[in-house]
Amino acid sequence: MKLLTPEIQSYDCCDHDPIDEWVPEDPSMVDYWLNISVGVKGEIGSNNYQVHVVTQGVLSQIKSKSHLLILPYYEGFTQVLREINYKLIDCSDVSWEGVFSRIAKLYAWEYESYRV
């Protein structure tokens, strides 16, 4: 069976817009939430996740240690995308449900607290 590989289809950050142009005052003290839309390569559709991007310098100040992308030092937004993409490759699976359930273990899925 062919593995389905997730990819970032779009992203945004309400704290710093546009996020890909934002430069922090202190690159060792970064803390923001990033929204990413993730789909399967070559397919239509995606799910939204929130990623808490922090540097090690602020890690001790973060109460919830869930959904973190921890960077030693903020080099720029291309670094953030690269690190998320590394993690997404490990979420490949033979089914769409498998892919997105693996990602939901890393990042906050848009329907995480949704109850029917």
Side-chain angles (χ1 to χ4, degrees), residues 41-84:
K41 261 186 202 178
E43 294 187 14
I44 297 173
S46 63
N47 282 336
N48 294 311
Y49 299 88
Q50 288 72 47
V51 181
H52 194 174
V53 179
V54 299
T55 53
Q56 289 178 343
V58 298
L59 191 56
S60 64
Q61 301 166 19
I62 305 298
K63 291 181 182 170
S64 172
K65 304 295 189 220
S66 304
H67 315 301
L68 291 176
L69 175 65
I70 304 168
L71 305 170
Y73 183 84
Y74 194 81
E75 298 169 9
F77 190 65
T78 55
Q79 171 198 27
V80 172
L81 290 178
R82 183 179 64 241
E83 294 300 321
I84 292 172

Side-chain angles (χ1 to χ4, degrees), residues 11-19 22 32-35 50:
Y11 54 82
D12 66 81
C13 176
C14 61
D15 295 327
H16 309 292
D17 186 26
I19 187 61
W22 176 69
Y32 66 84
W33 282 89
L34 176 68
N35 301 304
Q50 288 72 47

